Amino acid sequence: MATAGKIKPIAMNSKTEPGKATQPNRVPLIFELSSEGRRGADMAPRKAGRRSGAEILGPQLCRDDLKGFPELSEPQVVRHFLRLAQLNFAQALQFYPLGSCTMKYNPVVNDEMAALDGFAAIHPLAPPHLAQGAFELMARLEAALAEITGMDAVSLHPAAGAQGELTGLLVMRAYHRKRGETRHKVIIPDTAHGTNPASCTLAGFEVMVARSNARGFIDAAEVKRLVSTDVAAMMVTNPNTIGVFEPEICEIAKILHDQGALLYMDGANMNALMGVAKPGHMGADVVQLNLHKTFSTPHGGGGPGAGPVCVKRELEPFLPAPRLKKTERGWVFDEDRPDSIGRLRSFHGNFGMLVRAYAYILALGGDGLAQASRTAILAANYIRKRLEDRFPCASPEPSMHECVLQHDLESRAGVSTLEIAKRLLDFGIHPPTIYFPLVVKGAMMIEPTETEAKEVLDNFIAVMERIYDEAIDDPEVVKNAPHTLRLSRVDEAEAARRPILRWQPKAE
Ligand SMILES: *Cc1c(COP(=O)(O)O)cnc(C)c1O
């Protein structure tokens, strides 16, 4: 069996004070590195003479009562933060099979494009005649996303998938209202991502839960049972969060449409479909995309996102305003949109993410996008098949871009999914998404993406096999993991309830 890569301890550079034993493997706080009066580099005084911070900013913005504020040299600061950054698990450093999040490789060229002066330095209030290049990029990205999803119109306005959901729901509400209807219910499958019901509630809808069948998808008959003229829409993630393509999606769309309801497709899982199948062809009326997942732009840790909403023609008037419009003078923002739901955020989305997504789409082209989806599906099914003896899949249906696996270690050895996830950290692997979807007991949702080499997948498989066998032979090893990291287990509930965000100097 292949063995997982050794974890190298990161060289420490703690403050060495004579006489004080430094603990190995411990990163000092920046406050502990402080020496009174130590300073970083400063600019040479200008001809006009040096002005203090208070002179430049005004005394009201300058505090002089920050006791214990750390004082360090510039290299100390750089090393401190670089060292902290090295403690993170990162997609650029480790295999990161975090299901539903699509943590794929982000090509560096995308960052270079987003950093071009004309894009990065443009002011959000620049007059249209000075922003034509940015407008053109947005228009082309809208067109590309419309083509990929098979929809008629796109708004790049929402800042993330969840905000895209809210936007789509508000658009559907406005559409029904315009027709004089007051539908107040939305059907959501029991496998849905938590943001789906949250967005519904925020948009003022009541949620009805559709049960998925034993094979992990929604029967059209279940939708027929739930639908009525009170139902505004059904939200379906396709492929769903068990990683299974909804085989009855076209029939479901027809049942909804026959009752005047709409089909919303959560497009967070488009990494299985791009270039291969279009939500528009499946009967979807609205679909949001998570550009920061499918189209490679970096995300995680609450970083910027982009959740464009794509709609069919009848829903276009209700999209957020302003909308891009081509005139004789070039592109302008059209504010005259009487049926629009208005703005959901300031300005026009996280523009750098739009540039990255457009660069990604151009680099791959239509065939390349399809190839990416197919490779992502192949990688997920490879892992599923190789692990099936120890970690069987939650559904007998073929997996799409991710597979949801289960195990019997809880009953056999008292080892939980959380403990398996923690043990993976010892092998330099970011854990998959766990305990989601909620309908699968002890779920591990593994999404390898198309960007990993076969050797990386083989190593992951070998590590998972080893952890399974360890759990049977020596469960304590797994139950007490991780053993190689600086921090072992933190009290997650306490950390969320009582976060300590500010350093307090110890009373001497
Ligand atoms: C990630 C995800 C969302 C939410 O998207 P954010 O960009 O994180 O707001 C919604 N649905 C599914 C299925 C997802 O995977």
Side-chain angles (χ1 to χ4, degrees):
M1 181 166 50
T3 50
K6 284 206 194 78
I7 318 264
K8 270 192 248 141
I10 295 156
M12 286 295 101
N13 181 14
S14 52
K15 182 179 165 185
T16 41
E17 284 179 50
K20 256 195 190 172
T22 43
Q23 250 175 290
N25 230 14
R26 175 175 175 273
V27 181
L29 298 176
I30 196 165
F31 301 94
E32 296 172 285
L33 296 170
S34 176
S35 290
E36 205 180 321
R38 187 161 285 165
R39 287 282 174 273
D42 210 345
M43 293 297 185
R46 282 175 299 162
K47 275 204 190 101
R50 191 192 291 267
R51 289 202 296 156
S52 72
E55 280 172 314
I56 296 166
L57 297 171
Q60 74 283 3
L61 291 177
C62 294
R63 293 168 66 171
D64 51 15
D65 60 343
L66 271 180
K67 286 215 176 51
F69 196 75
E71 298 176 81
L72 288 84
S73 70
E74 185 170 323
Q76 277 184 305
V77 174
V78 171
R79 283 188 186 158
H80 180 72
F81 286 106
L82 210 54
R83 190 182 300 132
L84 288 181
Q86 286 177 325
L87 300 182
N88 285 335
F89 267 70
Q91 191 274 332
L93 290 170
Q94 284 107 347
F95 183 43
Y96 210 125
L98 192 66
S100 219
C101 293
T102 314
M103 304 299 282
K104 62 169 75 175
Y105 170 69
N106 300 294
V108 176
V109 66
N110 298 354
D111 291 338
E112 285 188 19
M113 295 303 107
L116 289 174
D117 271 355
F119 292 138
I122 193 167
H123 193 280
L125 291 174
H129 72 279
L130 295 179
Q132 287 298 303
F135 282 25
E136 178 72 28
L137 181 135
M138 292 170 84
R140 290 188 190 190
L141 179 59
E142 284 186 1
L145 298 179
E147 173 69 29
I148 289 167
T149 54
M151 307 298 274
D152 299 316
V154 177
S155 168
L156 302 173
H157 188 79
Q163 200 181 36
E165 292 171 26
L166 179 62
T167 305
L169 286 160
L170 294 178
V171 162
M172 294 193 295
R173 195 180 66 175
Y175 164 84
H176 286 306
R177 284 210 177 147
K178 182 84 182 175
R179 293 158 58 96
E181 299 203 47
T182 53
R183 296 167 180 254
H184 64 283
K185 292 182 178 168
V186 173
I187 304 172
I188 298 186
D190 52 6
T191 51
H193 192 271
T195 51
N196 289 185
S199 300
C200 283
T201 306
L202 210 55
F205 290 110
E206 196 182 299
V207 172
M208 295 168 85
V209 177
R211 286 191 187 289
S212 35
N213 64 23
R215 301 180 73 82
F217 59 84
I218 299 291
D219 289 319
E222 172 74 352
V223 180
K224 202 162 211 160
R225 187 177 73 78
L226 294 170
V227 77
S228 71
T229 49
D230 283 342
V231 171
M234 178 167 181
M235 284 182 103
V236 179
T237 308
N238 198 17
N240 66 28
T241 63
I242 299 182
V244 169
F245 188 86
E246 290 287 346
E248 300 190 5
I249 189 74
C250 292
E251 214 178 320
I252 289 171
K254 184 164 187 315
I255 292 167
L256 292 166
H257 291 155
D258 285 349
Q259 287 282 340
L262 299 171
L263 175 60
Y264 180 102
M265 208 178 104
D266 180 332
N269 288 342
M270 272 301 283
N271 210 46
L273 303 185
M274 48 174 190
V276 178
K278 302 186 184 191
H281 294 173
M282 299 169 205
D285 300 288
V286 184
V287 52
Q288 114 276 348
L289 295 170
N290 298 39
L291 295 188
H292 48 288
K293 295 178 178 172
T294 312
F295 298 94
S296 87
T297 74
H299 67 294
V309 173
C310 319
V311 298
K312 288 278 172 68
R313 190 154 287 114
E314 311 79 74
L315 293 153
E316 194 273 343
F318 308 98
L319 285 175
R323 302 259 309 136
L324 278 175
K325 188 173 152 187
K326 186 104 188 195
T327 68
E328 284 157 19
R329 292 170 292 122
W331 292 105
V332 293
F333 270 130
D334 182 10
E335 306 270 357
D336 183 22
R337 308 269 309 165
D339 289 330
S340 165
I341 61 164
R343 273 186 183 279
L344 277 97
R345 53 159 295 137
S346 57
F347 304 116
H348 313 294
N350 290 319
F351 186 70
M353 308 305 264
L354 307 183
V355 178
R356 287 177 176 87
Y358 186 59
Y360 182 76
I361 291 169
L362 280 193
L364 267 70
D367 292 344
L369 292 176
Q371 181 68 36
S373 286
R374 293 197 171 101
T375 311
I377 292 171
L378 181 63
N381 282 284
Y382 179 68
I383 288 177
R384 166 183 173 160
K385 184 74 192 156
R386 291 271 319 268
L387 284 176
E388 71 185 351
D389 293 342
R390 292 174 176 82
F391 298 97
C393 186
S395 166
E397 297 294 313
S399 292
M400 298 296 283
H401 65 309
E402 59 195 0
C403 54
V404 176
L405 306 186
Q406 295 177 286
H407 61 87
D408 58 4
L409 292 174
E410 188 86 57
S411 57
R412 278 188 76 183
V415 169
S416 69
T417 299
L418 176 75
E419 289 158 349
I420 297 169
K422 294 289 183 192
R423 184 65 176 138
L424 278 168
L425 294 168
D426 281 331
F427 297 92
I429 293 171
H430 191 286
T433 298
I434 55 173
Y435 301 116
F436 177 69
L438 304 177
V439 292
V440 177
K441 201 159 169 280
M444 285 179 295
M445 184 195 240
I446 296 161
E447 180 177 7
T449 82
E450 68 279 9
T451 50
E452 298 296 343
K454 179 168 174 292
E455 293 79 359
V456 176
L457 306 183
D458 286 337
N459 180 62
F460 172 71
I461 290 160
V463 169
M464 287 293 284
E465 287 171 345
R466 174 174 161 163
I467 294 173
Y468 186 94
D469 296 345
E470 269 177 356
I472 301 293
D473 299 339
D474 191 2
E476 292 307 309
V477 172
V478 183
K479 290 167 82 72
N480 297 318
H483 304 278
T484 56
L485 301 190
R486 222 157 251 100
L487 271 181
S488 182
R489 299 282 179 95
V490 291
D491 184 339
E492 287 165 23
E494 189 69 5
R497 284 199 197 110
R498 288 200 319 126
I500 302 168
L501 301 175
R502 185 171 269 251
W503 179 75
Q504 304 289 345
K506 281 207 193 77
E508 294 290 325

